[in-house]
Amino acid sequence: MFLDIKLLKNDQIMLEESNLPYEITNDIIHFKLENFDHYLDRAHKIFKRESSEFCFTIDLENEKCTYQLKEIGGDFDIIVDDSFWEEFENTLEIHYVIETEDEKSKIIIKFNN
């Protein structure tokens, strides 16, 4: 199973990758991109990006965002100004604006099953 992904800031493509392998465990989609682990929880509309140093989690269902610094064990809540999660056919779009960035972020994932 493979996916294509685009990461955009203010509708400008910042990163685009094709044919990334992914796996599904307990309804959580996992893939690696730029040496980071990424997780999608479709049931709860949660996107997570994680490394050994940090974990960025955005919960679009509850409009909550947390940035965790693992080394110091500190969590920082970030205000979500706007967000939505949209799915159609084999495509998932995640849109959000968080307080620490004045840009609109968009993640577009196409599943190639």
Side-chain angles (χ1 to χ4, degrees):
M1 297 184 300
F2 298 93
L3 60 82
D4 302 334
I5 187 166
K6 287 183 189 176
L7 304 176
L8 300 96
K9 294 282 187 183
N10 287 333
D11 297 320
Q12 299 292 317
I13 296 174
M14 305 304 289
L15 178 67
E16 187 171 10
E17 292 287 336
S18 297
N19 295 316
L20 292 172
Y22 73 93
E23 58 188 40
I24 301 174
T25 306
N26 297 327
D27 294 328
I28 307 290
I29 298 165
H30 171 248
F31 62 94
K32 288 193 176 279
L33 177 63
E34 293 191 319
N35 297 320
F36 297 104
D37 287 302
H38 292 76
Y39 301 91
L40 295 166
D41 181 341
R42 287 174 130 169
H44 299 102
K45 296 184 170 82
I46 296 172
F47 172 76
K48 184 189 303 187
R49 182 177 187 178
E50 187 170 16
S51 74
S52 59
E53 289 117 27
F54 74 89
C55 182
F56 172 83
T57 305
I58 185 160
D59 177 342
L60 287 96
E61 192 170 86
N62 296 305
E63 292 197 326
K64 292 171 43 176
C65 183
T66 304
Y67 190 85
Q68 177 191 45
L69 294 172
K70 293 181 176 181
E71 188 174 297
I72 63 170
D75 290 352
F76 303 93
D77 292 329
I78 302 169
I79 294 171
V80 178
D81 292 327
D82 188 28
S83 71
F84 70 94
W85 177 291
E86 185 174 41
E87 290 190 61
F88 45 96
E89 294 185 25
N90 289 333
T91 304
L92 167 64
E93 289 190 16
I94 299 168
H95 301 250
Y96 63 91
V97 178
I98 56 176
E99 183 181 50
T100 56
E101 299 177 0
D102 290 332
E103 304 169 315
K104 295 183 298 183
S105 296
K106 185 187 319 186
I107 302 165
I108 302 172
I109 299 171
K110 182 177 180 190
F111 298 97
N112 305 317
N113 300 334

